[in-house]
């Protein structure tokens, strides 16, 4: 049966339009004022692709609003005539090299009218749940048949970065709402503000959830708390000690509260903690679900105390608020971890990227200078990798790079750093306290890659060309060491040829 949102529309709709509109509403971004963060993305897009117009669009039910707009007047248009309507319906990047030659758009008022659009490229703004809010798109007055796969990939990367900014905006709204609730509940303003400050500083979860576990000074009969957070097939329990403990199973009342819509309790405290010697004192416990994005339960806050204390409305309100704060803290921690991985780790192999390599090399150089020791930088480039890509395709080449990275990682010790800095180029940092340190590492690398690989059903031997630069003999800074090692790697490669 068709969804109500998909009936009698003169334009294509996504298959899950109702879910998509719910996501649009949750992000609270339709028809909001311009913000510099998003204006910056469209300026970059128009300059990179040399187009007249750049937009960040958010597609609502019948209307499309511009969160950012460059080269065009207005704050939005009817959804019916927009190219972006087709982009979100296809749930994929949409490229229209020449709108006058495309039957979907050649009669569009934006093409036939004074606007005179000829070229359009739009990349979807996809939420973590998979729904599409709108697009980052570029348009031009002239056809662009030269817009190739590389341009498309870059446009999608810009769209992904824009979506991350939208996510950060959403979390900023959550923090702002947290401060608003704090002002309304002045009864425990001091405790709550301190916890929010810790969340905004991205302090460890053990610290933030540990603070939430402490008794409030406003009610002496309210006891300590535990937070049970779902972790894979088990649970992690946080407490007032500021630490955490992995548990395979949670007590029955905790599991019941995890699937409930409201607080459970008060229940007998002993049914929650059993014979655990670390359990807080109290005759009763109230369990409040901790919710994540979209009100999905991600844990349970358990507050211990007396039956009389839990009859107090202030305690109930603090319990609800504390569980909400725990949810904000958990979401912030997840977002920060995701952003840090994207910033410092290679998306294909999971190895440190060039940025993290620079940071670690600077740290090693500082320690080496203090200790009057040495550091060696090994620059690896895989011989014949281009031929593998050309013959078997980039997908096969990527799989080979992942397997090479795994083998190199198995050859690297914990005190050494392995990074992928682009293409088939890897870098290993080692300390040279021992005179044979380089020889040992080179031997481990050779041993790891010697068995060869299976590529496209064929046995392939991958050999690296390796250039070595040494601190302080060859250079005393990051850029210098990388340059020397790169040059020497190319020298090795030329000799082999």
């Amino acid at each position: 049966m068709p969804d109500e949102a998909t009936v009698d529309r003169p334009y294509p709709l996504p298959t899950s339009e109702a879910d998509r509109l719910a996501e649009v509403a949750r992000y609270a971004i339709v028809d909001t004022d311009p913000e510099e963060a998003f204006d910056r993305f469209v300026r970059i897009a128009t300059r990179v692709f040399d187009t007249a117009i750049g937009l960040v669009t958010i597609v609502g039910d019948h209307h499309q609003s511009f969160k950012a707009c460059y080269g065009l007047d207005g704050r939005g248009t009817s959804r019916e005539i927009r190219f972006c309507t087709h982009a979100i319906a296809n749930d994929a990047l949409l490229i229209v090299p020449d709108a006058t030659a495309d039957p979907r758009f050649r009669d569009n008022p934006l093409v036939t009218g004074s606007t005179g659009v000829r070229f359009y490229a739009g990349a979807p703004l996809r939420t973590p749940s998979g729904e599409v809010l709108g697009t980052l798109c570029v348009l031009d007055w002239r056809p662009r048949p030269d817009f190739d796969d590389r341009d498309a990939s870059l446009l999608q990367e810009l769209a992904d970065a824009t979506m991350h900014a939208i996510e950060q905006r959403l979390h900023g709204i959550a923090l702002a709402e947290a401060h608003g609730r704090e002002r309304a509940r002045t009864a425990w303003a001091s405790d709550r503000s301190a916890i929010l400050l810790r969340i905004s500083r991205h302090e460890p979860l053990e610290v933030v959830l540990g603070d939430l576990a402490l008794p409030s000074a406003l009610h002496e009969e309210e006891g300590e708390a535990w937070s049970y957070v779902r972790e894979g097939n088990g649970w992690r329990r946080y407490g007032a000690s500021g630490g955490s403990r992995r548990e395979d199973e949670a007590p029955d009342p905790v599991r019941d509260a995890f699937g409930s819509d409201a607080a459970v309790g008060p229940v007998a405290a002993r049914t929650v903690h059993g014979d655990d010697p670390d359990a807080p004192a109290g005759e009763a416990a109230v369990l409040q679900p901790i919710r994540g994005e979209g009100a999905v339960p991600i844990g349970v806050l358990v507050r211990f105390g007396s039956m009389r204390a839990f009859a107090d409305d202030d305690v109930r309100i603090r319990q609800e608020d504390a569980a909400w704060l725990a949810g904000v803290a958990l979401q912030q921690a997840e977002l920060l971890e995701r952003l840090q991985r994207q910033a410092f780790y290679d998306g294909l192999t999971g190895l440190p990227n060039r940025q993290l390599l620079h940071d670690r090399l600077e740290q090693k150089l500082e320690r080496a200078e203090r200790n009057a020791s040495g550091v060696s930088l090994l620059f690896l480039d895989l011989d014949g990798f281009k031929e593998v890509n050309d013959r078997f395709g980039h997908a096969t080449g990527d799989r080979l790079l992942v397997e090479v990275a795994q083998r190199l990682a198995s050859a690297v010790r914990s005190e050494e750093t392995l990074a992928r800095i682009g293409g088939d180029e890897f870098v290993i940092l080692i300390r040279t306290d021992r005179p044979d340190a380089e020889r040992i590492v080179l031997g481990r690398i050779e041993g790891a890659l010697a068995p060869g690989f299976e590529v496209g059903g064929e046995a392939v031997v991958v050999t690296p060309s390796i250039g070595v630069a040494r601190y302080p003999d060859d250079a005393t800074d990051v850029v210098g060491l990388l340059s020397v090692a790169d040059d020497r790697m190319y020298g090795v490669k030329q000799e082999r040829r």
Side-chain angles (χ1 to χ4, degrees):
M1 181 179 215
D3 193 293
E4 285 185 11
T6 68
V7 176
D8 296 328
R9 298 295 179 90
Y11 45 84
L13 290 171
T15 56
S16 58
E17 178 67 350
D19 293 339
R20 192 195 69 80
L21 290 174
E23 280 287 85
V24 171
R26 186 172 68 84
Y27 277 86
I29 197 171
V30 174
D31 292 327
T32 54
D33 291 335
E35 297 176 43
E36 174 57 24
F38 302 101
D39 292 341
R40 187 180 301 119
F41 282 116
V42 296
R43 288 199 301 269
I44 292 172
T46 56
R47 291 170 186 169
V48 167
F49 302 111
D50 190 26
T51 60
I53 300 171
L55 302 170
V56 172
T57 70
I58 307 297
V59 182
D61 191 3
H62 297 279
H63 177 74
Q64 173 182 270
S65 69
F66 301 155
K67 182 59 185 174
C69 178
Y70 180 85
L72 194 66
D73 293 330
R75 296 289 300 276
T77 66
S78 165
R79 181 173 172 180
E80 183 175 350
I81 65 171
R82 296 307 301 180
F83 289 74
C84 297
T85 298
H86 292 263
I88 67 168
N90 292 338
D91 196 21
L93 192 144
L94 175 65
I95 301 173
V96 183
D98 186 353
T100 61
D102 192 314
R104 294 171 298 177
F105 305 110
R106 61 190 175 201
D107 296 327
N108 190 299
L110 297 176
V111 178
T112 60
S114 59
T115 308
V117 171
R118 293 294 178 268
F119 166 74
Y120 170 90
L125 302 173
R126 197 182 313 281
T127 70
S129 66
E131 302 297 339
V132 178
L133 302 184
T135 66
L136 171 68
C137 60
V138 289
L139 303 89
D140 211 344
W141 318 127
R142 55 196 168 93
R144 290 288 298 273
D146 59 337
F147 198 86
D148 58 19
D149 289 344
R150 181 179 176 278
D151 295 326
S153 176
L154 181 55
L155 181 61
Q156 185 60 65
E157 286 189 36
L158 285 173
D160 292 343
T162 304
M163 189 63 227
H164 286 311
I166 293 174
E167 287 191 59
Q168 288 179 296
R169 179 184 181 278
L170 180 64
H171 286 280
I173 292 172
L175 287 176
E177 290 174 351
H179 285 288
R181 294 183 66 181
E182 179 273 330
R183 288 191 296 270
R185 295 182 177 179
T186 56
W188 70 304
S190 177
D191 289 349
R192 195 172 185 279
S193 294
I195 291 168
L196 280 170
L197 185 59
R198 289 183 182 279
I199 293 174
S200 68
R201 289 176 175 172
H202 305 297
E203 295 194 18
L205 277 175
E206 285 83 357
V207 175
V208 176
L209 297 183
D211 280 358
L212 282 170
L214 293 170
S216 170
L218 297 175
H219 201 305
E220 60 183 15
E221 294 189 62
E222 184 185 355
E224 290 184 13
W226 282 343
S227 295
Y228 285 88
V229 177
R230 194 69 173 157
E231 187 179 81
N233 295 326
W235 300 78
R236 182 162 294 277
R237 193 183 76 188
Y238 299 85
S241 63
S244 67
R245 187 172 79 189
R246 168 79 183 187
E247 297 185 353
D248 293 332
E249 197 56 86
D252 289 342
V254 172
R255 297 201 302 274
D256 292 342
F258 184 74
S260 71
D261 294 326
V264 177
V267 298
R270 64 178 177 273
T271 66
V272 175
H273 57 65
D275 298 324
D276 193 329
D278 298 328
E283 63 188 60
V286 167
L287 295 80
Q288 182 75 36
I290 299 171
R291 304 199 177 279
E293 292 188 45
V296 176
I298 54 178
V300 178
L301 178 67
V302 185
R303 176 75 65 181
F304 297 91
S306 69
M307 292 290 291
R308 189 169 66 86
F310 290 131
D312 190 323
D313 283 345
D314 273 354
V315 175
R316 179 183 57 78
I317 291 171
R318 283 200 298 275
Q319 174 83 353
E320 294 172 359
D321 218 18
W324 182 81
L325 286 169
V328 172
L330 289 164
Q331 291 175 70
Q332 285 288 97
E334 180 185 358
L335 174 65
L336 181 63
E337 180 182 0
R338 188 164 70 246
L339 293 176
Q340 285 177 334
R341 284 210 65 82
Q342 291 171 347
F344 295 110
Y345 289 87
D346 175 49
L348 176 66
T349 64
L351 296 178
N353 62 13
R354 185 182 291 270
Q355 177 64 45
L356 187 53
L357 172 70
H358 275 244
D359 292 344
R360 291 188 179 177
L361 182 52
E362 286 178 352
Q363 294 171 13
K364 287 183 180 292
L365 294 184
E366 289 174 3
R367 284 196 295 269
E369 184 177 5
R370 288 196 303 268
N371 302 329
S373 58
V375 174
S376 288
L377 186 152
L378 281 60
F379 198 115
L380 286 72
D381 182 273
L382 304 180
D383 296 337
F385 179 74
K386 182 179 183 301
E387 287 74 14
V388 172
N389 263 348
D390 291 344
R391 183 178 175 190
F392 297 102
H394 289 281
T396 300
D398 285 348
R399 288 193 293 272
L400 175 60
L401 284 175
V402 170
E403 190 171 349
V404 168
Q406 291 170 347
R407 293 202 195 174
L408 290 176
S410 69
V412 171
R413 300 295 182 257
S414 59
E415 68 273 12
E416 299 162 352
T417 295
L418 168 66
R420 180 189 179 217
I421 62 173
D424 58 337
E425 296 177 339
F426 298 84
V427 169
I428 300 176
L429 304 180
I430 63 171
R431 292 170 56 186
T432 52
D433 299 337
R434 296 174 51 180
D436 58 348
E438 289 178 9
R439 181 183 59 80
I440 292 173
V441 174
L442 289 170
R444 295 203 304 261
I445 293 171
E446 181 180 353
L449 300 182
F453 302 82
E454 183 178 326
V455 177
E458 299 181 16
V460 173
V461 176
V462 174
T463 58
S465 293
I466 303 177
V468 181
R470 302 169 182 88
Y471 168 89
D473 297 341
D474 295 321
T476 58
D477 59 24
V478 173
V479 174
L481 284 170
L482 281 169
S483 177
V484 170
D486 191 11
D487 289 344
R488 288 177 178 170
M489 179 274 293
Y490 274 107
V492 171
K493 191 175 288 289
Q494 289 298 327
E495 289 177 7
R496 288 185 173 180
R497 288 174 179 169

